[in-house]
Amino acid sequence: MTAIGLSDVTVHYGRTEALSRFSLDVAVGETVALLGPSGSGKSTALKAVAGFLRPTSGTIRLDGRDVTALPPHRRGVGVVVQQYALFPHMKVAENVAFGLAGIPRAQRKERVAEVLAMVGMSAYAARRPRELSGGQQQRVAIARALANRPRVLLLDEPLSALDAALRADMLGELQRLKRELPETAILYVTHDQGEALALADRIAVMKDARLVDEAATAELYHRPPSAFTASFLGAANLIPGSIVDGRVAVGDGAGYVCVRPHAVGVAAPGSGLAATVTGVQWRGATYRVTLALSDVEAEVRADVASLDGLPGVGEPASVVLPATGLTVVPRD
Amino acid sequence: MLVWSRGGRVLLWTIFALVFVPVVLAPLAVLVLAAFAADWNGVLPGAYTGAHFGEALSGEEISSLSVSLQTAFLAGTAAVLTGTWGALAVRAAPRALRRIADAVLHLPVAVPSVVVGLGLLTAFSRPPIALNGTMWLVVIAHFVLVLAFAYSTVSAALDRTDPAFALVAGSLGASPWRVLWRVRVPMLLPSIAAAASLSLALSMGEVGATIMVYPASWRPLSVTVFTLTDRGRVFLASAETVVLLVVTVVILAGLAVATRRGAAKQR
Amino acid sequence: MTRRAWWLAPPLLLVAGFFLYPLYFVVRESLTGDAWSRVASSGRFLDALGTTVMVSLAATAGCVVLGTFLALVLAFTPFPGAGLVTRLVDTLLAFPSFLIALAFTFLYGSAGIVNAAAGREVMGGFLYSPWCVIAAEITFYTPFVMRPLLASFKHFPREQLDVAASLGARPWRVFRRVVLPEAWPALGAGASLTLLLTLNEFGIVLFIGAKDVETLPMLVHSFGVVTFDLPAACVVAVIEVALSLSLYAVYRRAFGGGR
């Protein structure tokens, strides 16, 4: 059963095309992440679903109903935006109750208490938004969006305004909410691959107003269909070449051999692809070593646990690729 | 977006036009038409003529325009200097004094212009300072009336300026004078120009205080327009008003262009 | 610290000399003879006081309604050319108020456009009624309400409108519950400034020249330079200043500063 359906949706801002013939289905209970760099059209797609902007062409369906021409107040979707957009003059409880205008007072109170409990904000019902921290505001925004029990929840970069530690916490919260709402379809817009990998059942990668690739999360990570997806999701190394009889042939063919930094090994010269070390960054748990390949113009990043016995910056070295788990993607 | 449906928006725009056109545009349009009207008995003038402008730009009328410009220039310059000075000085003053000074510098906004005129007339028509019958009473009246606006324009801009600029300049070893002259005042230039524009426009159109204190030898354009209207010479009065508006707008545009050039040079 | 305070002396001395000192003379002059009892007991003064307050309240109410509507449309449902309209509104702020009065005589006078278009006398005595002064003041002062509103709408987060709509609120409810509560300070500031300025308005009343519409500033002018009853003019002026300054004090207390 399809909860959200976009088919051939094109959106223009004035003359610029912000979304180009975009199609995507989200099933009931499914979470799909729209992943892409800024300006890739992912937020535009979300706004089109919410009804905040009108597509130039194409159709948008919610639960099978064509809503393309409906204003947002008749779509019944829950939306959480990046800056939360809590109404500053209303208390937390009033913010949450805003969408419940149509139901009896007693029931409304009950519902507000229920969703505030769900996001762990019951103790803050009488506060004003400006008295809350960023993470708390975010929880209220989520509670407000859920109060109506929408069948579709749209999250537009919900964690990007939080600092790193808080972001990890909230990510856990969102995972829990997702489990508690098995009937809700979630469209999650983000530029952060970590959030997409942690939350999404499926990921749709976007670039320049278009859909690039779309697949189940693990599938997309392990077997990226394109060079863009491979580098954007998991920051893969792209080495020009191909795989012949299970061995990497550098500089050969029309594709890239795609390998994640954590799978790349670094050794003294002679045991793999010839290269020169160009830099080392300590990242705490690992060292990121960057190397320039000698036979073809390509930079390789490798994450290694220790620098013991490895060549220093400016010295020759060799890049050791794993025997399995390599994929080849076509060049763009 | 507040209204989502196309129909709703079109309805809103229609109401907007129905309100905006008669309330704001019609008076301006009518005034311009009247300035060119030879006679006007129907919906539109019966015939058009440029004679009113000919008259408006000659003899007594042109000298009235020149009086207005001189008054606006003298009063405006004094008000912008005093207002800028005041805005800068208020921020250096101790807290308690700052509040009082700010209130005092804003005060003339709250008093009717007629009363300002009456006060000057009462105070300066007798020794030790007898200025009645001179142009200075008009200039002083205009200065008092526009000073508060000039002060509040520059003051608002100072509130918006990041104090970090002056602090950084100071940390680079610049003396307070150099910081003032090379950093703070140049950054204020756009608002000083805005204050000058506002002062000039307000002075050109001032009637209330002017009509209380003007001597026959120093009659600004706004009073001339009133005298003409009072005598029933409404077409000429309209032409004079249009001249007043055009001169004001031209000077304002000139100031705006000069400021933009200045700002571009700074970058 | 104290030496820096001296920099305030020149501007404050200028205001004191050219504004406060004359005001002192107005008060002093008002105390000569029996001016206060003469003015207070005259029907003319009480009528003018009533007219002034009535005209200024009605004009302010009109400006608030009209200005809010126009600013809402310009800010939240902009149309091609909305920027130009906004700039025109800004320019109007710098124009003299009497131009509206002058234009009104052509529009609504007995030989004016409206009567000519209707082919008969439809405007009645409108031009010389308080309603005409109110209409002219609404026309002229609406931009004073619009400007602070537009400035506040410019910083209004659009996402709040979006989210409110997605929570099922229709435009009217979004306006009432989300936009209006946050626009109160701007609307209040614009409205009080308009109230103050309409209370003090002189040019419009002077130019329309209706004999039956006499406001306090007109009375000051009439006593002061037409009948040369200086003490009476000063009494009216003192009352006017007291009225304006108390309103201004409320305005500053509520909105913490000038424009």
Side-chain angles (χ1 to χ4, degrees):
Chain A
M1 175 74 185
T2 309
I4 310 171
L6 293 107
S7 46
D8 270 337
V9 176
T10 299
V11 177
H12 284 91
Y13 289 130
R15 287 243 181 98
T16 43
E17 201 176 48
L19 194 63
S20 178
R21 297 185 64 94
F22 181 78
S23 297
L24 181 76
D25 284 343
V26 183
V28 170
E30 190 186 26
T31 300
V32 173
L34 286 181
L35 179 68
S38 59
S40 59
K42 52 193 194 306
S43 278
T44 305
L46 179 137
K47 284 182 178 141
V49 175
F52 301 157
L53 36 86
R54 184 72 63 87
T56 324
S57 62
T59 9
I60 295 161
R61 289 194 167 77
L62 292 173
D63 282 326
R65 189 171 60 126
D66 184 346
V67 298
T68 317
L70 285 188
H73 56 89
R74 292 177 57 196
R75 294 197 183 194
V77 299
V79 184
V80 177
V81 297
Q82 198 177 345
Q83 298 298 338
Y84 325 130
L86 295 180
F87 307 128
H89 55 283
M90 294 185 205
K91 291 175 180 155
V92 165
E94 291 169 330
N95 261 285
V96 175
F98 186 83
L100 301 171
I103 68 172
R105 185 180 273 267
Q107 212 178 327
R108 205 187 308 167
K109 258 181 117 175
E110 208 171 282
R111 193 79 73 78
V112 170
E114 178 192 317
V115 287
L116 280 178
M118 207 173 187
V119 297
M121 289 294 293
S122 304
Y124 299 88
R127 298 273 189 101
R128 303 245 172 216
R130 64 168 180 277
E131 299 163 351
L132 304 179
S133 70
Q136 290 170 333
Q137 292 189 29
Q138 183 60 278
R139 285 161 199 263
V140 175
I142 293 170
R144 182 176 64 178
L146 290 176
N148 252 334
R149 298 191 177 145
R151 293 170 53 76
V152 165
L153 183 61
L154 307 175
L155 302 171
D156 191 358
E157 303 259 10
L159 306 185
S160 61
L162 303 177
D163 60 51
L166 217 58
R167 205 180 304 171
D169 279 357
M170 280 304 294
L171 200 52
E173 287 282 309
L174 289 175
Q175 285 176 313
R176 185 177 59 75
L177 273 177
K178 192 188 142 186
R179 280 197 301 276
E180 284 175 28
L181 302 165
E183 292 293 295
T184 310
I186 302 178
L187 190 63
Y188 190 99
V189 164
T190 180
H191 64 271
D192 182 297
Q193 48 139 337
E195 292 171 25
L197 292 173
L199 276 176
D201 303 314
R202 265 191 312 139
I203 296 178
V205 177
M206 299 190 65
K207 180 195 171 192
D208 298 338
R210 284 163 206 281
L211 180 68
V212 180
D213 291 310
E214 180 224 323
T217 302
E219 164 81 16
L220 201 66
Y221 184 82
H222 292 300
R223 277 177 292 283
S226 68
F228 180 76
T229 300
S231 59
F232 199 77
L233 190 66
N237 291 299
L238 298 173
I239 304 168
S242 61
I243 297 177
V244 185
D245 303 331
R247 288 178 50 95
V248 174
V250 172
D252 197 34
Y256 290 114
V257 175
C258 165
V259 56
R260 309 281 170 190
H262 63 83
V264 179
V266 181
S271 52
L273 304 174
T276 308
V277 178
T278 55
V280 175
Q281 283 173 7
W282 185 39
R283 302 193 149 195
T286 56
Y287 294 89
R288 167 152 294 188
V289 182
T290 44
L291 307 106
L293 292 184
S294 311
D295 297 337
V296 4
E297 196 159 321
E299 186 192 62
V300 176
R301 284 149 302 166
D303 290 342
V304 298
S306 145
L307 292 177
D308 283 349
L310 296 188
V313 175
E315 294 175 4
S318 58
V319 169
V320 184
L321 300 180
T324 56
L326 295 174
T327 48
V328 176
V329 296
R331 297 190 196 187
D332 287 334
Chain B
M1 194 74 42
L2 190 58
V3 176
W4 301 94
S5 73
R6 178 96 201 144
R9 253 177 283 160
V10 168
L11 178 71
L12 218 53
W13 292 339
T14 314
I15 302 176
F16 185 94
L18 286 178
V19 173
F20 189 77
V21 169
V23 170
V24 178
L25 281 187
L28 288 176
V30 163
L31 206 67
V32 175
L33 276 182
F36 286 103
D39 66 282
W40 197 341
N41 298 312
V43 175
L44 289 176
Y48 296 94
T49 170
H52 305 313
F53 281 101
E55 202 174 332
L57 294 172
S58 62
E60 215 178 297
E61 274 71 27
I62 192 85
S63 66
S64 194
L65 175 64
S66 139
V67 162
S68 266
L69 283 171
Q70 291 175 60
T71 309
F73 177 76
L74 287 172
T77 310
V80 168
L81 285 177
T82 315
T84 308
W85 183 304
L88 286 166
V90 157
R91 271 157 191 75
R95 214 181 150 68
L97 185 61
R98 191 187 310 179
R99 285 184 58 105
I100 298 170
D102 186 66
V104 169
L105 285 166
H106 270 122
L107 209 55
V109 175
V111 173
S113 53
V114 188
V115 175
V116 169
L118 181 71
L120 291 171
L121 198 63
T122 336
F124 296 119
S125 296
R126 65 189 86 193
I129 312 165
L131 295 172
N132 53 325
T134 71
M135 60 173 273
W136 293 109
L137 228 40
V138 179
V139 174
I140 291 170
H142 283 222
F143 165 74
V144 170
L145 286 169
V146 299
L147 172 61
F149 289 98
Y151 167 74
S152 89
T153 306
V154 179
S155 193
L158 266 176
D159 285 343
R160 288 193 304 265
T161 310
D162 190 345
F165 287 107
L167 293 177
V168 167
S171 79
L172 292 171
S175 69
W177 278 110
R178 213 169 119 82
V179 172
L180 179 71
W181 193 241
R182 293 295 306 277
V183 179
R184 297 181 70 187
V185 169
M187 285 183 72
L188 278 183
L189 274 183
S191 70
I192 292 174
S197 311
L198 189 63
S199 304
L200 188 108
L202 289 175
S203 170
M204 292 289 287
E206 214 296 316
V207 208
T210 318
I211 210 162
M212 302 291 288
V213 298
Y214 80 94
S217 59
W218 195 261
R219 190 173 69 183
L221 196 55
S222 53
V223 177
T224 305
V225 173
F226 170 68
T227 325
L228 290 169
T229 313
D230 208 32
R231 283 196 230 127
R233 303 197 58 192
V234 282
F235 296 132
L236 181 56
S238 302
E240 294 268 8
T241 309
V242 171
V243 168
L244 188 151
L245 296 186
V246 168
V247 170
T248 309
V249 168
V250 165
I251 297 176
L252 294 192
L255 263 173
V257 169
T259 325
R260 217 169 302 149
R261 288 238 178 97
K265 229 179 257 171
Q266 276 180 30
R267 273 185 207 117
Chain C
M1 219 42 186
T2 34
R3 261 187 56 214
R4 280 162 136 213
W6 283 105
W7 288 105
L8 264 174
L12 287 185
L13 276 178
L14 282 172
V15 174
F18 291 141
F19 177 68
L20 297 177
Y21 173 75
L23 272 190
Y24 158 73
F25 267 90
V26 169
V27 176
R28 212 178 73 169
E29 184 75 34
S30 79
L31 297 173
T32 50
D34 58 346
W36 276 88
S37 56
R38 255 195 308 131
V39 169
S41 61
S42 77
R44 197 171 162 200
F45 165 71
L46 290 175
D47 283 351
L49 181 64
T51 308
T52 309
V53 173
M54 193 274 283
V55 164
S56 137
L57 284 176
T60 305
C63 289
V64 165
V65 173
L66 206 62
T68 309
F69 172 74
L70 296 179
L72 268 181
V73 173
L74 284 176
F76 293 131
T77 54
F79 47 87
L84 201 71
V85 171
T86 312
R87 212 150 337 130
L88 181 67
V89 166
D90 263 350
T91 315
L92 280 180
L93 282 173
F95 283 175
S97 60
F98 66 74
L99 90 88
I100 303 293
L102 198 54
F104 267 37
T105 58
F106 293 110
L107 280 166
Y108 307 121
S110 55
I113 295 182
V114 175
N115 276 342
R120 63 198 170 83
E121 179 78 32
V122 286
M123 291 315 294
F126 175 76
L127 187 64
Y128 295 120
S129 74
W131 297 112
C132 181
V133 175
I134 293 170
E137 291 192 359
I138 290 176
T139 299
F140 185 72
Y141 285 107
T142 293
F144 286 78
V145 175
M146 288 174 73
R147 202 162 71 157
L149 273 182
L150 283 172
S152 118
F153 288 164
K154 207 160 100 184
H155 300 293
F156 187 87
R158 295 298 188 269
E159 297 82 27
Q160 288 195 14
L161 302 181
D162 290 351
V163 169
S166 80
L167 290 167
R170 292 167 174 285
W172 176 246
R173 182 154 179 264
V174 177
F175 166 65
R176 229 167 26 90
R177 293 282 319 271
V178 178
V179 177
L180 204 54
E182 290 175 51
W184 269 132
L187 191 58
S192 358
L193 185 68
T194 305
L195 191 64
L196 188 67
L197 293 176
T198 50
L199 216 50
N200 297 344
E201 175 56 39
F202 176 70
I204 286 176
V205 192
L206 178 77
F207 269 70
I208 289 180
K211 285 184 192 62
D212 303 335
V213 190
E214 195 169 49
T215 59
L216 291 181
M218 279 299 285
L219 207 55
V220 174
H221 171 245
S222 161
F223 281 145
V225 299
V226 181
T227 56
F228 294 106
D229 185 351
L230 216 51
C234 287
V235 170
V236 181
V238 169
I239 295 169
E240 261 264 62
V241 169
L243 198 63
S244 305
L245 284 188
S246 38
L247 189 62
Y248 183 64
V250 173
Y251 168 73
R252 270 186 77 93
R253 175 138 297 195
F255 305 106
R259 309 216 305 179

